[in-house]
DNA sequence: CAGAAAATGAAAATGATTGTCAAAACGGTT
DNA sequence: AACCGTTTTGACAATCATTTTCATTTTCTG
């Protein structure tokens, strides 16, 4: 894996929003690339396995990816309008999740936390 | 809407775990019901619209539903092994989400928060 | 360069979810 | 009970994202 993976990674780096496979495919093809959709799926999978991109599911179940600046654990604040995404963290939330899990006798706790809203730009026009 | 919707709702009431449409379909058919899969999807959608069932997406994008005891805002602690789910709430998380959104100029803040782990029973054998 | 191993892409297969449409179940009315 | 307009239902087809398959191309190694 290399050629295509890097190309896909680069597309993600240049976007502040989460992007879908189809979305990336369309952009790359528009830019003249001959890449196949399958390769994009494979690249996204590999990048995610390597922890280089984050993935989340839209309301309708579509997987969308983003190359976040930090590889450390964090969460996202996503604009419902334009997709603009900001990386955020919440130490309190981390503690809360562990505690609520432990209180109920659960182990190996993990969690998903995403915040959505309308960004300043979208709030206007 | 009535006959089938109530039947689906009842199945969910009797389960502590989130269930998929296929899952519910299989159980109802096994119980002798002649219900169709389409009807189950419609019932789940209606129940969700009415706020009577919660929905979330599994890692592979499948929608799963649960009839929670409370209709008030809450979150879930889900066992990765058996699906056992406990309803939990975290006032701190609510506050944190609002604050982090506001800090970045976002409005109309919403959030998704789910906690996963291995329950006591599954931790054994 | 040769040959093996990894990557790629087109097309088919999968699986969840939705749309279509005619038949069946309801509800209220004579 | 027979009638009629409305709602619900279910079999089946259609969508859509994602995965598989498989033959071809590219990359790597010696
Ligand atoms: Zn925006
Ligand atoms: Zn966290
Ligand atoms: Zn369990
Ligand atoms: Zn909350």
């Amino acid at each position: 894996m290399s050629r295509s993976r890097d190309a896909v990674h680069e597309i993600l780096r240049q976007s502040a929003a989460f992007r879908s496979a189809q979305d990336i495919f369309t952009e790359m093809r528009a830019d003249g690339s001959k890449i196949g959709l399958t390769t994009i799926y494979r690249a996204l999978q590999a990048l995610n396995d390597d922890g280089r991109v984050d993935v989340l599911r839209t309301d309708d179940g579509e997987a969308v990816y983003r190359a976040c600046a930090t590889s450390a654990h964090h969460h996202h604040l996503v604009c419902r309008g334009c997709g603009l995404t900001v990386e955020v963290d919440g130490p309190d939330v981390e503690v809360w999740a562990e505690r609520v899990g432990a209180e109920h006798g659960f182990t190996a706790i993990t969690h998903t936390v995403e915040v959505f809203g309308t960004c300043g730009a979208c709030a206007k026009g």
Side-chain angles (χ1 to χ4, degrees), chain A:
Chain A
M1 262 164 239
S2 202
R3 178 79 17 76
S4 301
R5 188 174 89 169
D6 290 338
V8 170
H9 195 191
E10 188 52 28
I11 291 282
L12 288 179
R13 280 174 189 286
Q14 294 168 356
S15 174
F18 276 85
R19 311 282 300 273
S20 71
Q22 278 289 348
D23 191 10
I24 295 169
F25 176 66
T26 302
E27 177 173 336
M28 293 183 76
R29 280 300 181 102
D31 287 350
S33 170
K34 295 264 189 289
I35 197 168
L37 186 53
T38 308
T39 303
I40 293 184
Y41 274 104
R42 280 189 286 236
L44 290 171
Q45 209 170 279
L47 288 167
N48 184 241
D49 288 346
D50 291 353
R52 280 202 257 273
V53 304
D54 285 355
V55 58
L56 62 80
R57 297 265 171 189
T58 62
D59 284 334
D60 55 308
E62 192 179 19
V64 287
Y65 303 79
R66 181 172 194 272
C68 291
T70 177
S71 61
H73 178 82
H74 63 277
H75 299 286
H76 310 100
L77 170 57
V78 184
C79 174
R80 266 186 302 267
C82 61
L84 170 68
T85 299
V86 181
E87 293 161 44
V88 300
D89 59 11
D92 299 346
V93 178
E94 308 303 319
V95 174
W96 169 79
E98 281 297 330
R99 181 164 51 69
V100 79
E103 278 173 358
H104 291 277
F106 280 57
T107 50
I109 308 297
T110 62
H111 60 271
T112 65
V113 171
E114 308 293 342
V115 183
F116 301 93
T118 303
C119 77
C122 287
K124 297 173 184 172

